[in-house]
Amino acid sequence: MKPSLFGYRAPKTLDEAITMLASDADAAVLAGGQSLLPAMNFRLANPSLLIDIQHVEGLRGISVEKDRIVVRAMVRHREFELDPAVRAANPLIHEVMQHVAHVPIRNRGTVVGSLCHADPSAEMPLLLTLLGGSVIAQGPQGRREIGAEEFFTSFLSTARRQDEIIVEARFPTPRAGAGAAFDEVTRRHGDYALAAVGCVLTLDAQDKAATIQLAASGIADKPLRLKGAEALLKGSALATGDLDAAVKASLPLVTQSDEANASVSFRRRALGALIRRMVVKAAERARSGSPQ
Amino acid sequence: MSTRSFGARVERNVDPKLLRGEGAFIDDIPLANVLHTAFLRSPHARARIKSIDVRAAKQHPGVVAVYTCDDIGVLDMAMPLLIPHPCMKNPQTQRPLARDEVHYVGQTIAMVVAVDRYTAEDGAGLIEVEYEPLPVEMDMEKALAPGAPLVHEKAPGNLAAHFVQVCGKPDDAFARAEHIVKIRVQVDRSTAAPMECRAIAARWDAVSGELTVWDGTQAPISVRGGLASIFALDEDKVRVIAPDVGGGFGQKVLFFYPDELLVPMAAMQLGRPVKYIEDRRENFLGSSQERTQIHEIELAALKTGEVIGLRDSFLHDTGAYIPYGIAVAQVASTSIAGPYRIPNIWVEFKAVYTPTVQVTPYRGCGRPQACFAVERAMDQLAEELGLDRFEIRKRNFIGVDQFPYEREGLLFADGLKVTLDSGQYAKALGMAADALGASSFAADQAAARAEGKYLGLGLACYVEGTGLGPYEGGHVRIHPITGKVYVNTGLSTQGQGHDTVFAQIVSDQLGVKPEDVIVVEGDTKAFDWGVATFASRAAVVSGNAIHKTAITVRKKTITAAANMLEVAEDEVELRDGAAWVIGSNRFVPLAAVATASNPLRYAFNEAAQAATQFAPASKHDGPPLGEGTAPGLEATDYYSPPASTWAYGVHAAIVEVDPGTCAVKIRKYICIHDCGNMINPMIVEGQVMGGIAQGIGGALYERLDYQPDGNLANASFMDFLMPYATEIPDVKILHLETPSPLNPLGVKGVGEAGCIAVGAVVASGVEDALKQLGPMKFRHVPLTPTMISDALESVGH
Ligand SMILES: Cc1cc2nc3c(=O)[nH]c(=O)nc-3n(C[C@H](O)[C@H](O)[C@H](O)COP(=O)(O)OP(=O)(O)OC[C@H]3O[C@@H](n4cnc5c(N)ncnc54)[C@H](O)[C@@H]3O)c2cc1C
């Protein structure tokens, strides 16, 4: 469990970092190192060069804007979790962050690093997908914005090109009056989710779902918006029958194969329970006027 | 008067050092010019090795040596079979480096020695091996069938051992039974996962001809004997030190692991110290594991619930080798009747070779499996007879007046007849019921159900044969300079707190503070007669040896002090680090007594000066050291237990099961525990609590996930689900103290107790919680959400 030989650079500017990245096809960006370094210790990843971006100017800090929160590349999980402005703008984030690993790992791991790592069971990719967010990639060809659903392509894979650095992620803020909820099923506290579900919804005057966003992770090779369920629930009273139908429409999305900790049928059961519970909880929160 | 320290919650002597990070584990031992090792391990469970090419590895910069089986001389052999038993057929043990074939994924094939571990791993990666993979069968039952792929060509049918033990007349009992239950249970394989993996370092001193080996072993004296024998060295020229060791749990009692022989060999050959620090992945792949057993157990009962007979036939997975003999299976088979009278027993096991790392004792050593089998069967019997689960147990317990209770025909791991020596089983059960609130549970369960919650009550009882012989020794000396007391024993410690409990025992005899008793263990230069740390035996066997020795030193001290103080011996008492004339303020410090007991004494310090005033030389006509006497205040003595002493306990819990997510939450956990007289209740509770945490691992989380091809899919803490602190509930531990009649201190072992019953408790609780949804049975641990989901599906929920 020792890595093989690798080079290390710590550039100060984004341009430098991008040039380094573009000049070596086996180079890797190092952010918090919480996923990359274990993989290197197991020699599952053998990058020739690590480009440590922690000293790169302009990659720190969170901006809470009018209808979105912008998280730059070197923002640690823990900053995102504890930032009071973030919490005020979108309390769901704090709730979700409790499920990401453990405090020491959140102290080092970055939000953007987690998005780039693209573990299909991780919370940050689910959150970005649920909220319909995006990332900003910057490479030798310039800057581009990539929407969440386009960004996550498969297991540990994204639409980021090898020579691009993700400089920030944008998490849209739910509209006023929305209720939100998130929960997941894990074997142990802080583990990656076997199934996780997030829900954001608004209710109309008749207590029916005016808008609804529903997403899940841990069930397929990437986080998924549960579009069939969203369509069924939108405009409904969120009654048991509506929820039954929404669950039924979502179960086929479980494509993760049987594995030691979770069979497909268990994942379906857990997904169903989570959908029901998160929709009900988000609706209660919308009704009570406190988003959480 | 000083207060008795036996029985007190004395803080652990070892903690300040460990908590400050000043422990010296093997990797902390400074060795100048040390070389590091890495192993090339087999990626196949079964394969023929057609060729090994180490040329590129040898040329890699920084690599100092590469060894294969062709380069290791006398070590190219099957390693020792430690505990032979006639029921084993052609027992197989591992070779330090594989020759011609491999038997499990992770088996060592080559060792690379290099300037650092990074380079050693690079070197291992450059070795090319040509394999011819062979078919494997991972399922024990299928492995026994004719035509199954063999783990060893020399072991037909993959059968490693077959053994039957009979107590009483089981056939008659079954013929006479009014009710019979039969169930099948399974426990899966786990691993000890000590915080510090295994480690070894060796230094060869060519000038003195001495080999020094630092080994994180539970058995330093035995390792020394083995090394001396295999390398043909004088035993006195081999010193084995087990320094601070970060947990063992049985995994470190096995010897030899390949590195324990190869690292000393390399140190001798290369003339430089060499070390091997096992990493976590290697610990998962190459260090002993335990637990897989499948039991088919039957109980023959009367309508009253009295169990008159038991039949159990089980398969025991021994891995690819059986170096520790049948110990695990034998302990399981002799623990099968638990705390119950059950006078007629037939128990059979087959130990099966599977292409996996060897199975040797892991904390519990077959007891968790036996407990799981009999307790799940008891629950089933209670259900079928319509009896309460507490009641059926009460009706079958061995009564307080029935001890010693013998199970004629069952031989325990010490080769002696199972004889339960003392206990208050029914009282413990009553305490558990009270602490849990069992009488109001039915109402609580109904109330919770009304809120959509599923609560269940889990219950299990266990016994634990502890304190196995043959013997241990103790050496106690009062130091003439400091007056502190030095204690040695042949055991080694892995963090249990031996140093504190042994100090407490000595403290009471010699009237010194426990922190002034310095216990040195695990160094063959300090003490080299003894066995090892395993089988919950340290307090019982070393504890009593040290107790006996301390009594002798006490007598010597009183005699010497009476002489100095010029009073009769019965007028002297030892307290506060001195010998006092009872009822007066006259005393001599122990240091002075110790100094005076040495005819040669320079006046180094005040104690020595004080001693010279009492120079007894003038009182003797003969030589200063009289015939038959020895200088100083010291003694060595041994204790050999007549038989194992049986601890026991009752665990009960309330669990909540969420049928939606299949999560199991332990809402309340009660442990009633009896290990005889407690030397230090705080340490007892630490042991029990740690064991319960490990038991929760085995009940709900930890399962080594061997794939059909023999690869271990979860060889990391990411994937192997050892519970975190967040998964461990508050546990209420209550004690009973029924002294063991077998030893002077009245103590029983406690090291393994905590883990034994947990699987049975959890399964019993989950079954009880979900019974409202249909007849679901949980007889396989670890009990996973997938199992719960499948069970719910089977009843259409
Ligand atoms: C014990 C443990 C438990 C964990 N549990 C969880 C959990 O429950 N949920 C969870 O979500 N995560 C979990 N994690 C992972 C943790 O959240 C990681 O920190 C996160 O996944 C990656 O962030 P990082 O900053 O450490 O990235 P790194 O490890 O530095 O990098 C990860 C990958 O992303 C790339 N990368 C990083 N930043 C950029 C960038 N700006 N541009 C381009 N590429 C980039 C790297 O090259 C690498 O391939 C756990 C980790 C550990 C060790």
Side-chain angles (χ1 to χ4, degrees):
Chain A
M1 282 171 61
K2 303 281 186 216
S4 48
L5 211 60
F6 61 88
Y8 173 87
R9 305 287 294 275
K12 294 268 182 332
T13 68
L14 193 57
D15 285 347
E16 258 183 284
I18 290 169
T19 309
M20 285 173 194
L21 194 55
S23 66
D24 182 344
D26 292 325
V29 175
L30 174 68
Q34 298 303 291
S35 297
L36 181 55
L37 297 186
M40 288 171 62
N41 285 340
F42 278 109
R43 299 196 176 196
L44 297 172
N46 298 294
S48 55
L49 174 67
L50 290 186
I51 301 166
D52 184 347
I53 58 170
Q54 67 175 319
H55 304 293
V56 172
E57 269 167 45
L59 294 187
R60 294 202 174 255
I62 301 173
S63 308
V64 178
E65 300 175 357
K66 196 170 137 286
D67 46 15
R68 68 181 181 204
I69 298 172
V70 175
V71 179
R72 278 176 279 280
M74 278 311 300
V75 171
R76 315 278 177 178
H77 288 308
R78 193 72 169 149
E79 295 173 66
F80 199 34
E81 173 186 356
L82 297 180
D83 188 305
V86 168
R87 210 166 162 174
N90 184 356
L92 180 66
I93 289 168
H94 180 81
E95 189 171 9
V96 172
M97 294 312 294
Q98 305 311 306
H99 297 271
V100 179
H102 314 273
V103 173
I105 292 160
R106 296 207 291 274
N107 282 336
R108 293 205 70 87
T110 62
V111 173
V112 171
S114 179
L115 297 172
C116 293
H117 187 58
D119 190 299
S121 302
E123 292 81 4
M124 289 304 100
L126 169 63
L127 187 67
L128 197 74
T129 305
L130 172 68
L131 297 175
S134 61
V135 297
I136 305 296
Q138 191 161 338
Q141 269 90 54
R143 257 167 102 90
R144 63 184 179 125
E145 180 168 5
I146 312 171
E149 285 180 74
E150 190 192 336
F151 185 64
F152 303 108
T153 53
S154 180
F155 186 75
L156 304 182
S157 310
T158 66
R160 180 182 77 85
R161 285 195 285 265
Q162 200 279 333
D163 57 6
E164 285 178 321
I165 290 178
I166 303 300
V167 293
E168 64 183 53
R170 298 172 171 179
F171 294 88
T173 306
R175 70 192 71 196
F182 170 88
D183 202 2
E184 66 181 30
V185 176
T186 58
R187 295 297 305 279
R188 299 173 301 184
H189 177 80
D191 280 355
Y192 283 104
L194 298 174
V197 169
C199 177
V200 180
L201 58 76
T202 53
L203 297 174
D204 63 17
Q206 282 78 47
D207 207 35
K208 291 194 166 135
T211 62
I212 181 162
Q213 290 148 266
L214 205 51
S217 66
I219 59 167
D221 63 350
K222 54 183 175 182
L224 296 177
R225 277 290 279 271
L226 306 178
K227 290 189 179 142
E230 287 177 356
L232 288 163
L233 293 172
K234 188 171 175 194
S236 83
L238 307 178
T240 310
D242 304 320
L243 292 172
D244 289 346
V247 167
K248 197 165 167 227
S250 304
L251 296 186
L253 297 175
V254 177
T255 53
Q256 188 76 305
S257 55
D258 269 330
E259 49 183 77
N261 285 322
S263 67
V264 171
S265 81
F266 160 66
R267 273 205 166 89
R268 294 207 166 118
R269 174 182 294 271
L271 177 69
L274 288 171
I275 291 173
R276 289 173 209 279
R277 293 174 194 180
M278 291 311 103
V279 171
V280 168
K281 195 165 174 187
E284 276 166 11
R285 285 172 172 177
R287 240 170 253 133
S288 73
S290 88
Q292 224 191 52
Chain B
M1 281 300 294
S2 50
T3 45
R4 207 166 114 90
S5 95
F6 188 110
R9 293 177 176 268
V10 174
E11 287 188 2
R12 307 198 324 160
N13 284 345
V14 71
D15 285 343
K17 173 180 87 167
L18 294 180
L19 294 174
R20 282 198 297 258
E22 292 165 2
F25 299 84
I26 287 175
D27 208 14
D28 300 319
I29 296 189
L31 291 168
N33 221 9
V34 70
L35 295 170
H36 300 255
T37 48
F39 287 91
L40 175 74
R41 294 171 181 276
S42 172
H44 299 288
R46 282 288 286 128
R48 272 193 200 96
I49 298 175
K50 302 183 75 178
S51 66
I52 307 179
D53 183 349
V54 299
R55 282 170 303 182
K58 279 190 166 160
Q59 278 155 20
H60 189 67
V63 169
V64 175
V66 180
Y67 297 93
T68 67
C69 61
D70 289 332
D71 314 309
I72 57 174
V74 293
L75 297 188
D76 184 29
M77 58 166 192
M79 288 190 282
L81 169 72
L82 295 176
I83 313 177
H85 192 279
C87 76
M88 282 190 280
K89 302 178 178 59
N90 203 355
Q92 300 293 311
T93 61
Q94 189 175 341
R95 307 175 79 87
L97 295 175
R99 172 169 287 287
D100 302 332
E101 53 179 345
V102 287
H103 299 101
Y104 68 93
V105 172
Q107 185 173 350
T108 45
I109 295 173
M111 179 172 80
V112 180
V113 183
V115 292
D116 57 47
R117 170 77 188 215
Y118 294 80
T119 309
E121 286 191 22
D122 292 345
L126 292 170
I127 298 172
E128 293 200 9
V129 184
E130 206 186 325
Y131 299 96
E132 181 193 330
L134 299 171
V136 293
E137 179 53 68
M138 301 304 292
D139 180 312
M140 274 200 291
E141 288 171 302
K142 292 186 189 148
L144 285 174
L150 295 181
V151 179
H152 301 278
E153 272 151 31
K154 287 180 239 160
N158 292 312
L159 186 65
H162 182 197
F163 195 44
V164 177
Q165 299 197 72
V166 180
C167 171
K169 296 202 167 97
D171 288 344
D172 292 359
F174 275 84
R176 169 158 81 75
E178 294 166 1
H179 195 92
I180 293 175
V181 293
K182 178 170 185 177
I183 64 168
R184 176 189 156 102
V185 306
Q186 179 167 341
V187 175
D188 285 341
R189 202 191 265 217
S190 184
T191 182
M195 198 185 295
E196 184 199 18
C197 296
R198 293 190 316 97
I200 181 160
R203 184 175 62 201
W204 169 247
D205 184 334
V207 176
S208 64
E210 274 182 350
L211 174 68
T212 305
V213 176
W214 292 264
D215 187 349
T217 180
Q218 296 174 224
I221 297 173
S222 311
V223 169
R224 197 229 7 210
L227 289 174
S229 155
I230 291 168
F231 291 118
L233 295 168
D234 287 344
E235 274 159 289
D236 265 15
K237 295 289 186 190
V238 183
R239 178 181 185 183
V240 176
I241 303 168
D244 286 323
V245 174
F249 311 109
Q251 191 181 67
K252 298 175 184 172
V253 78
L254 175 71
F255 62 94
F256 290 95
Y257 285 98
D259 45 273
E260 286 177 298
L261 293 172
L262 294 166
V263 166
M265 174 205 74
M268 287 193 277
Q269 284 189 6
L270 301 173
R272 286 171 67 175
V274 178
K275 69 172 161 184
Y276 167 67
I277 307 298
E278 182 188 62
D279 70 25
R280 187 57 64 185
R281 185 174 157 73
E282 291 175 296
N283 187 268
F284 274 109
L285 294 179
S287 287
S288 287
Q289 304 171 344
E290 202 214 286
R291 294 269 200 266
T292 312
Q293 286 183 357
I294 300 172
H295 289 247
E296 307 249 0
I297 183 170
E298 277 177 281
L299 299 180
L302 303 179
K303 284 263 169 354
T304 57
E306 184 183 350
V307 181
I308 54 172
L310 181 158
R311 279 195 198 123
D312 181 37
S313 172
F314 69 94
L315 300 182
H316 168 74
D317 169 12
T318 188
Y321 306 104
I322 193 157
Y324 217 80
I326 57 165
V328 176
Q330 188 172 14
V331 169
S333 60
T334 47
S335 305
I336 194 69
Y340 308 114
R341 293 186 300 278
I342 314 182
N344 305 295
I345 299 166
W346 177 89
V347 56
E348 167 194 53
F349 67 79
K350 287 180 178 158
V352 186
Y353 287 120
T354 60
T356 57
V357 66
Q358 76 271 338
V359 165
T360 64
Y362 156 43
R363 192 184 210 172
C365 184
R367 299 176 187 90
Q369 299 93 314
C371 177
F372 191 65
V374 69
E375 290 300 287
R376 298 281 46 229
M378 276 293 188
D379 279 2
Q380 184 61 27
L381 182 64
E383 183 183 315
E384 290 180 17
L385 294 178
L387 284 170
D388 173 71
R389 285 175 287 162
F390 286 86
E391 181 60 29
I392 194 159
R393 287 170 169 83
K394 209 155 67 189
R395 290 186 190 176
N396 284 287
F397 279 149
I398 298 165
V400 279
D401 51 357
Q402 290 177 300
F403 292 101
Y405 192 83
E406 298 182 352
R407 298 202 194 278
E408 195 69 54
L410 298 193
L411 296 186
F412 194 53
D414 51 9
L416 303 172
K417 173 171 58 183
V418 169
T419 307
L420 297 104
D421 52 323
S422 64
Q424 307 174 66
Y425 301 160
K427 183 167 179 189
L429 186 77
M431 284 167 71
D434 289 347
L436 192 72
S439 56
S440 65
F441 177 70
D444 298 345
Q445 191 179 35
R449 182 66 202 93
E451 289 171 32
K453 292 193 167 144
Y454 295 82
L455 295 184
L457 185 155
L459 173 67
C461 309
Y462 71 91
V463 293
E464 184 198 358
T466 72
L468 251 63
Y471 79 98
E472 289 295 342
H475 170 241
V476 175
R477 168 191 285 178
I478 302 178
H479 204 285
I481 307 282
T482 57
K484 291 191 180 182
V485 183
Y486 287 75
V487 176
N488 308 123
T489 182
L491 294 168
S492 64
T493 178
Q494 298 79 44
Q496 297 91 333
H498 293 173
D499 65 333
T500 311
V501 293
F502 295 158
Q504 287 176 262
I505 290 169
V506 171
S507 145
D508 283 348
Q509 292 305 324
L510 300 183
V512 294
K513 289 186 280 196
E515 61 263 39
D516 287 336
V517 181
I518 290 131
V519 177
V520 175
E521 294 172 88
D523 181 350
T524 58
K525 267 278 152 73
F527 199 88
D528 64 353
W529 290 108
V531 185
T533 301
F534 62 88
S536 306
R537 65 192 294 281
V540 180
V541 193
S542 271
N544 279 292
I546 289 166
H547 174 68
K548 282 173 71 183
T549 312
I551 290 174
T552 305
V553 174
R554 172 190 173 79
K555 284 187 190 141
K556 283 192 184 180
T557 307
I558 288 180
T559 303
N563 189 14
M564 293 166 78
L565 293 161
E566 298 182 313
V567 294
E569 290 186 10
D570 60 7
E571 288 174 67
V572 177
E573 66 175 350
L574 303 183
R575 62 176 163 88
D576 302 330
W580 298 74
V581 177
I582 295 172
S584 84
N585 57 3
R586 289 186 60 216
F587 70 94
V588 268
L590 290 188
V593 184
T595 301
S597 306
N598 178 2
L600 175 70
R601 42 189 187 272
Y602 295 113
F604 290 129
N605 59 17
E606 269 177 50
Q609 280 165 15
T612 54
Q613 297 164 23
F614 301 97
S618 58
K619 293 182 191 169
H620 293 284
D621 299 332
L625 196 60
E627 200 52 43
T629 62
L633 298 175
E634 69 178 323
T636 301
D637 205 346
Y638 298 87
Y639 173 72
S640 182
S644 293
T645 175
W646 291 71
Y648 67 93
V650 178
H651 289 203
I654 291 172
V655 304
E656 180 180 344
V657 186
D658 178 339
T661 62
C662 302
V664 177
K665 282 250 153 28
I666 299 172
R667 291 285 172 219
K668 200 170 187 182
Y669 201 101
I670 307 291
C671 164
I672 313 296
H673 177 260
D674 188 345
C675 61
N677 293 332
M678 287 189 284
I679 306 169
N680 184 329
M682 185 186 75
I683 285 179
V684 167
E685 283 161 15
Q687 288 294 312
V688 172
M689 191 57 226
I692 289 175
Q694 241 163 354
I696 289 173
L700 289 167
Y701 302 101
E702 298 174 0
R703 177 176 182 274
L704 291 165
D705 183 21
Y706 283 97
Q707 302 297 294
D709 68 358
N711 262 289
L712 182 58
N714 57 350
S716 80
F717 278 150
M718 191 77 184
D719 301 313
F720 176 78
L721 304 177
M722 188 153 87
Y724 302 127
T726 40
E727 277 63 59
I728 306 302
D730 282 341
V731 171
K732 185 168 189 180
I733 301 171
L734 298 173
H735 303 283
L736 270 172
E737 288 183 275
T738 314
S740 169
L742 299 181
N743 62 69
L745 292 172
V747 296
K748 302 180 178 185
V750 63
E752 297 166 275
C755 69
I756 298 170
V758 186
V761 172
V762 169
S764 163
V766 169
E767 199 167 289
D768 188 44
L770 293 180
K771 68 173 187 230
Q772 314 159 56
L773 295 175
M776 286 169 270
K777 296 296 169 190
F778 295 95
R779 292 172 178 160
H780 188 171
V781 282
L783 212 172
T784 64
T786 296
M787 289 178 188
I788 294 175
S789 174
D790 289 349
L792 287 165
E793 218 152 279
S794 74
V795 296
H797 187 279

